[in-house]
Amino acid sequence: MLLEKMAHNWHLRSQVSQVKKKVAYESSSEMAFNPNREDFRLDLLPFKDHPDFLAAPSEIRQKVLSCGWIAYNEKTIDIESKVIAPACNHILYREVPGVDDETSQLIASDTLVDEAYHIQLVVHACNITREHRQLQHLKLPSFTLVRKMTQEKERYSEPWKKLLVQMATAIVSEVFVSDYLSLLAYDKEIQPLNQLTVYTHLRDEKAHHSIFLELAKCMYANFSLEQQMFFSQILPKPVRWFADAELDVWGAMLQQINFPNARTIIQDTATNADVDLLRIDYSDVIQLAKELGVLDSVAGADSFAQAGLCD
């Protein structure tokens, strides 16, 4: 069984086992903060082509890139701590049908160790940026993925529905996060420490991608028909939550650093699109839905169509 094999190979593939070497490498002069290197990629800014952004002085545009790196990290912390970790805890407590066995518990506990290390890793990188760019007091509002997941859970009184919303969001997040991280993991133009931080994280998340796809198959096969129908309706929603441009977060950051015409930039960007499905690859979610049989049901096909993921 794939899950059993992955559980027993954790010590070989996990980046946690490389922590001492990584910390030493991060402390080397080669990894030292370079004030002349950008902290983030320009093309990842949702307003990168806005004329007011392009007209601003280069110093404050550089600070926007630093804000982007901080937001990128804090969104990672949100995903790990508020989406993935609770899902793993549900598995540890044998609360999820189909993944209530010893192998699934081992997988969940291994994943929790990975995620704790990832949080430590990105907190470290984020704090270095805050210190060097004088952004210690930057405060970010909640991110869309967690906020929407929480709102969705609050719609239901039944504990099992709340549980499946959490699990669906975790599965979609782990399917997406590898592509999300790949955008920076191989970029040699940004801060070396930033690039290494994301690359290290990505190594584990590639394994998590496969793990959560397998967990989803085990879960769905053991759901009741009512649970399968509900899960089918929920599964596409986190795709749109993940694709959100986080304009509330960007608006808060731009105002805090006194970026010129911040309100206009955010309003104009929101008019164009605050959810851009074209910037993410959700083909693996579609493939998972096909393998589960979600798209064979009317409820499943309708839910994916309403989310704009299928015709």
Side-chain angles (χ1 to χ4, degrees), residues 91-286:
I91 295 173
L92 282 176
Y93 285 102
R94 301 178 185 268
E95 296 170 350
V96 188
V99 289
D100 51 359
D101 58 290
E102 291 182 7
T103 297
S104 297
Q105 283 191 310
L106 182 58
I107 282 282
S109 61
D110 289 345
T111 300
L112 281 171
V113 175
D114 288 344
E115 305 301 24
Y117 171 60
H118 299 157
I119 290 172
Q120 181 188 57
L121 190 69
V122 299
V123 165
H124 173 66
C126 193
N127 285 341
I128 288 176
T129 301
R130 284 180 177 272
E131 179 181 354
H132 283 278
R133 303 300 192 188
Q134 288 78 55
L135 290 168
Q136 293 93 331
H137 303 297
L138 188 70
K139 301 291 185 183
L140 278 62
S142 62
F143 293 89
T144 300
L145 181 69
V146 171
R147 188 175 69 252
K148 292 287 189 180
M149 179 190 71
T150 302
Q151 291 172 351
E152 187 70 23
K153 290 167 72 173
E154 290 173 349
R155 292 180 57 199
Y156 310 105
S157 58
E158 302 96 322
W160 68 267
K161 289 185 177 180
K162 296 178 184 291
L163 170 65
L164 294 195
V165 172
Q166 183 81 49
M167 299 309 296
T169 308
I171 289 163
V172 169
S173 297
E174 288 290 26
V175 167
F176 273 141
V177 78
S178 294
D179 289 336
Y180 175 72
L181 295 171
S182 294
L183 297 172
L184 291 179
Y186 303 103
D187 190 336
K188 299 296 185 180
E189 300 302 316
I190 62 172
Q191 289 288 340
L193 179 58
N194 294 4
Q195 184 266 327
L196 177 65
T197 297
V198 181
Y199 178 77
T200 303
H201 188 181
L202 176 64
R203 294 281 298 277
D204 283 337
E205 292 302 344
K206 285 184 175 180
H208 292 182
H209 175 107
S210 300
I211 286 170
F212 274 77
L213 288 177
E214 290 302 312
L215 289 173
K217 295 172 186 177
C218 294
M219 288 164 43
Y220 192 82
N222 287 273
F223 285 163
S224 67
L225 289 177
E226 183 181 14
Q227 290 171 331
Q228 287 184 345
M229 181 174 293
F230 180 77
F231 187 81
S232 298
Q233 294 169 333
I234 294 298
L235 188 60
K237 292 185 177 183
V239 175
R240 294 190 64 85
W241 303 340
F242 206 103
D244 192 274
E246 305 289 0
L247 295 180
D248 288 345
V249 175
W250 276 111
M253 293 193 296
L254 292 184
Q255 290 187 29
Q256 288 176 69
I257 65 172
N258 297 314
F259 197 92
N261 301 320
R263 191 181 299 275
T264 299
I265 292 172
I266 296 301
Q267 288 176 343
D268 291 347
T269 305
T271 300
N272 294 331
D274 56 353
V275 175
D276 185 4
L277 291 173
L278 295 177
R279 72 184 182 89
I280 61 172
D281 180 3
Y282 52 86
S283 58
D284 282 348
V285 178
I286 299 295

